[in-house]
């Protein structure tokens, strides 16, 4: 049980140190390295035939006259 408590305390200290470092730097949160766009994929679903749900969303958007932003689907 003492090993568990020591390990838990160690992790709490590390998390607290990271939180203090984040607060001191006053930086906004950012993504890692660009995600899928770094390997040339513009969207998460990179398929030739979209699924029925996506086709329905596109059809509804066309009826409303909206433009579809594939990066937010």
């Amino acid at each position: 049980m003492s090993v568990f408590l020591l390990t838990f305390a160690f992790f709490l200290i590390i998390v607290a140190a990271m939180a203090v470092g984040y607060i001191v730097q006053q930086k906004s949160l950012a993504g890692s390295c660009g995600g899928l766009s770094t390997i040339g994929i513009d969207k998460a679903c990179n398929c030739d035939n979209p699924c029925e749900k996506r086709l329905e969303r596109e059809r509804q958007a066309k009826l409303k006259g909206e433009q579809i932003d594939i990066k937010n689907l």
Side-chain angles (χ1 to χ4, degrees):
M1 183 70 173
S2 64
V3 172
F4 172 76
L5 291 176
L6 286 172
T7 305
F8 186 70
F10 176 75
F11 278 106
L12 280 180
I13 291 169
I14 295 299
V15 169
M18 290 188 324
V20 168
Y22 177 76
I23 291 170
V24 169
Q25 288 183 354
Q26 297 178 350
K27 292 173 64 177
S28 62
L29 292 175
S32 58
C33 297
L36 293 175
S37 63
T38 60
I39 58 173
I41 298 175
D42 292 333
K43 54 187 176 180
C45 175
N46 204 13
C47 53
D48 295 329
N49 294 331
C51 63
E52 293 177 14
K53 288 181 182 180
R54 183 179 176 128
L55 289 173
E56 181 62 24
R57 282 194 308 257
E58 290 176 358
R59 187 181 71 75
Q60 291 292 331
K62 282 183 183 178
L63 290 176
K64 291 179 182 178
E66 299 173 353
Q67 261 194 328
I68 298 175
D69 184 12
I70 61 172
K71 292 186 178 187
N72 291 330
L73 285 179

